[in-house]
Amino acid sequence: MMRQPSARPFNCFTERYVLRSLTPADLSDRWGGWSADPEIVKPLNIAERRMSKDDLRRYLSRFDNVSKFLIGIFAKPMSLHIGFYAIDTSSVHATANFNIVVGDKSYWGKGVVNETRSALLDELFEHRGIEKAYGMPLARNHPAVFNYKAQGWKLEGILLGQCKSVTDGGRLDQYQFGMLRSEWRARKGRKS
Amino acid sequence: MSANTNARKLLADALSMPEQDLPADIRIGSIDQWDSLAHARILLALEETIGKPLDAAEAATIESVTDIAASLSRHAKTN
């Protein structure tokens, strides 16, 4: 009989943040409120709707900590939950697809994404067998695009009209940014 | 005014910095003030100046004062 891969929740940290797989104990009205804020969800092309704890529980249940990870971003020193990563990995292709939400707007523009994503790239590339990471922000999500560029990801393609807008039904363009493990190691080598 | 002068003015406004404090070769990631939110302000200011949204291919090229100046020149010619 084939052995099922076992769950490996994330648990790592940076200078200012803790990153760990979310659990039912993390469900909160605060988290549920992020999806009702147009400033947060519009750049992600998600319809505004407050998520109840039951909604969040159902969402959380999609992540198995085997190939799909929902990782909370917690600000030190009070462990304030300020956002999360949804990461889908493929063991066949050794890839990881990144999606990020910083829900606490008081942390916008403070370098949260690249500080935390750096730790996750280290973990994925060095300890979890991932060879390529990629992210697909909407072209109009300028802060996300900035973060990918500032962190040295390569713009691999522009997908014209890839998504249908949840607000007006128009077509939205999307970028694909990629980072190979070799590129990440070379970048870290240059910086150290 | 030249496109480069206009680009520096646009950047100074978007970054809330005196124009004379902008490095000559300012680009994404080169100074703390050019952060993720400032990047959004820069692109929106550029679109406001040229009077139309940038297409995804052109928006992707905006990484420096030179790129902004080039975009301003390009759209000045087509307007």
Side-chain angles (χ1 to χ4, degrees):
Chain A
M1 203 168 77
M2 213 157 103
R3 205 171 137 212
Q4 292 295 315
S6 52
R8 284 181 67 196
F10 271 75
N11 197 348
C12 49
F13 59 90
T14 69
E15 188 182 339
R16 297 182 293 167
Y17 306 99
V18 172
L19 296 155
R20 62 168 176 77
S21 290
L22 290 162
T23 73
D26 297 307
L27 303 179
S28 68
D29 292 335
R30 173 182 163 77
W31 177 10
W34 296 339
S35 57
D37 185 331
E39 274 196 296
I40 296 170
V41 295
K42 195 176 172 204
L44 307 171
N45 195 34
I46 295 169
E48 299 160 36
R49 188 177 72 86
R50 177 173 292 280
M51 290 176 80
S52 67
K53 285 187 182 172
D54 280 343
D55 293 331
L56 291 172
R57 189 173 288 109
R58 276 192 292 276
Y59 179 60
L60 182 60
S61 70
R62 296 183 205 163
F63 298 88
D64 56 10
N65 283 318
V66 176
S67 64
K68 296 176 184 298
F69 303 89
L70 191 65
I71 301 163
I73 308 170
F74 295 87
K76 296 175 184 175
M78 303 299 284
S79 285
L80 181 66
H81 186 195
I82 62 163
F84 60 88
Y85 284 85
I87 298 177
D88 281 3
T89 63
S90 162
S91 58
V92 174
H93 300 293
T95 54
N97 177 20
F98 275 73
N99 293 282
I100 307 128
V101 176
V102 177
D104 187 326
K105 293 192 284 187
S106 68
Y107 283 83
W108 287 7
K110 294 190 173 163
V112 175
V113 172
N114 285 349
E115 180 175 330
T116 53
R117 190 163 51 198
S118 180
L120 293 175
L121 288 172
D122 282 344
E123 171 69 17
L124 287 161
F125 286 148
E126 304 305 337
H127 302 293
R128 295 185 184 238
I130 295 298
E131 295 170 5
K132 179 178 178 178
Y134 65 99
M136 303 177 71
L138 290 173
R140 299 292 302 175
N141 188 351
H142 301 312
V145 172
F146 167 89
N147 285 325
Y148 282 110
K149 289 185 172 199
Q151 198 167 39
W153 295 56
K154 279 192 183 149
L155 178 62
E156 298 179 327
I158 301 172
L159 309 174
L160 299 175
Q162 179 73 5
C163 304
K164 188 169 184 172
S165 165
V166 296
T167 51
D168 64 10
R171 305 301 308 177
L172 300 173
D173 301 331
Q174 203 169 10
Y175 294 138
Q176 177 162 320
F177 284 94
M179 177 72 80
L180 291 166
R181 180 165 64 188
S182 55
E183 292 168 341
W184 182 244
R185 286 176 175 169
R187 185 175 171 83
K188 292 202 77 175
R190 278 195 303 274
K191 283 181 132 183
S192 60
Chain B
M1 276 200 291
S2 72
N4 192 57
T5 305
N6 286 331
R8 289 183 61 79
K9 185 172 182 331
L10 184 152
L11 265 177
D13 288 346
L15 300 176
S16 302
M17 287 175 69
E19 205 177 315
Q20 64 269 22
D21 290 352
L22 295 179
D25 55 352
I26 183 171
R27 58 176 300 107
I28 260 185
S30 68
I31 61 167
D32 290 344
Q33 288 90 338
W34 192 334
D35 61 19
S36 58
L37 297 179
H39 190 63
R41 288 198 301 274
I42 290 164
L43 284 164
L44 295 175
L46 180 55
E47 290 180 333
E48 195 177 317
T49 305
I50 65 177
K52 58 183 176 187
L54 293 167
D55 66 38
E58 184 169 4
T61 66
I62 304 298
E63 297 184 355
S64 68
V65 66
T66 312
D67 300 328
I68 295 167
S71 179
L72 290 171
S73 290
R74 201 158 37 242
H75 289 282
K77 283 178 193 158
T78 56
N79 282 341

